[in-house]
Amino acid sequence: MSQFTQLEVSFASDRGLRSGRLYRPDTAHPAPCVVMCSGFGSTMDRLFPWAEAYAEAGLAAMVFDYGGFGRSEGHPRQVVDLNRQRADIRAAVSYARAAVGIAADRIVLWGNSLGGAHAVTTAADDPRIAAVVAQIPFNGFPRRVEGRTTAQTMRLMAAIVWDALRGSAGLAPHYIPLVGPPGEVAITNAAEAEEHIGTLSAGTLWRNQVAPRGILQMMRYRPAEAAARLTVPLLVCAATDDAETPVELSRQLADRAPRGTIRLYPGTHFSFYTDGPTRRTVAADQITFLHEVLTRTVW
């Protein structure tokens, strides 16, 4: 198990500074770096356990908050904007490439949920990225969301449209919960919502509040098209009972990527957040994947 150093970092991006944390292994040679991209409405503290697992394996890892979330600058707060988030990812990659102790030509993009879509899309336009890991990645919405009636879907759509109209008029966002119990107007209504909220609330940065206008952008988001342009290895890690990012949609990313592969794990979308054994198993498989991909130049 490698020793590592944690560094609080900041870097410039669109409309302000972004805050992050760099986990750098204590090695004599430059280390590859895994730049980690959060999901919808998430913050970097949710990724600390994943970054630590990578650092203990001798790989640097960098987590950060998108603009308007967590410790990063940006207003209005809690607004998901896909273009600006991808701009933040590109800025994070540029920072990592220039950081002391990091091998600039061995940057890996890693993403969780919506961040998985961002990792694929960003890497498709950056030929210097060495590999991509996308876990429970977004690749379009399922036709029907489990546990949500047609009436509840209409109420959510009304909130999304109202928030988008407010944004167009320059007004303050109309916030709704990110995670809520069945029946509540929220982005996610999962059966295990109460457990998930408890886990998330244990952090210091995450807030169960988001402007839902970003869902309209996601309805037009097509990361599978970007996957077809990937020239580097892609590992997709999916949950067999995932109702948020179903396996059949996530699988399309691996199928479309010329060098894509998929690994399936028991559990739901939230198992990757709340289940320690699942997280350790998935992280070990991801590290093995990168070991094999980067073996000639890293190990």
Side-chain angles (χ1 to χ4, degrees), residues 72-299:
S72 287
E73 296 180 350
H75 291 278
R77 306 296 293 176
Q78 305 294 119
V79 174
V80 175
D81 185 295
L82 305 192
N83 289 330
R84 289 178 182 168
Q85 289 191 345
R86 290 193 295 267
D88 290 346
I89 293 169
R90 292 192 295 271
V93 169
S94 294
Y95 179 91
R97 283 179 172 145
V100 174
I102 301 301
D105 59 342
R106 301 171 190 164
I107 303 297
V108 174
L109 272 180
W110 180 104
N112 184 77
S113 198
L114 177 59
H118 287 339
V120 169
T121 303
T122 305
D125 295 323
D126 185 345
R128 294 182 63 194
I129 295 296
V132 179
V133 176
Q135 66 177 31
I136 49 174
F138 173 81
N139 185 36
F141 291 107
R143 292 181 180 272
R144 182 176 177 81
V145 177
E146 182 179 338
R148 181 178 290 161
T149 66
T150 300
Q152 291 166 349
T153 299
M154 295 301 294
R155 290 168 59 201
L156 174 59
M157 283 304 304
I160 292 170
V161 172
W162 177 238
D163 179 52
L165 290 173
R166 291 182 64 84
S168 298
L171 301 175
H174 170 68
Y175 295 113
I176 65 174
L178 177 60
V179 181
E184 183 177 359
V185 176
I187 297 298
T188 298
N189 299 97
E192 63 268 46
E194 184 174 356
E195 177 187 2
H196 185 50
I197 291 174
T199 301
L200 289 170
S201 299
T204 58
L205 301 177
W206 184 82
R207 296 171 59 190
N208 192 23
Q209 179 191 67
V210 69
R213 68 189 68 170
I215 296 295
L216 293 179
Q217 294 181 9
M218 292 174 66
M219 289 178 177
R220 302 186 297 272
Y221 200 14
R222 299 291 182 267
E225 296 177 0
R229 298 186 285 109
L230 271 181
T231 59
V232 298
L234 164 68
L235 173 64
V236 174
C237 299
T240 54
D241 298 316
D242 193 336
E244 312 298 321
T245 55
V247 170
E248 60 268 21
L249 294 177
S250 296
R251 188 186 298 275
Q252 293 175 12
L253 296 175
D255 290 345
R256 293 290 297 277
R259 302 171 67 184
T261 187
I262 187 169
R263 295 288 299 271
L264 302 180
Y265 302 86
T268 70
H269 192 80
F270 299 102
S271 299
F272 281 62
Y273 296 92
T274 60
D275 189 337
T278 295
R279 183 177 64 242
R280 289 188 290 271
T281 298
V282 177
D285 289 346
Q286 293 172 359
I287 290 166
T288 297
F289 165 77
L290 292 181
H291 185 171
E292 294 171 353
V293 167
L294 305 174
T295 185
R296 293 184 180 179
T297 56
V298 178
W299 303 89

Side-chain angles (χ1 to χ4, degrees), residues 11-18 84-85 87-92:
F11 55 92
S13 186
D14 181 39
R15 303 189 181 187
L17 292 175
R18 304 293 175 258
R84 289 178 182 168
Q85 289 191 345
D88 290 346
I89 293 169
R90 292 192 295 271

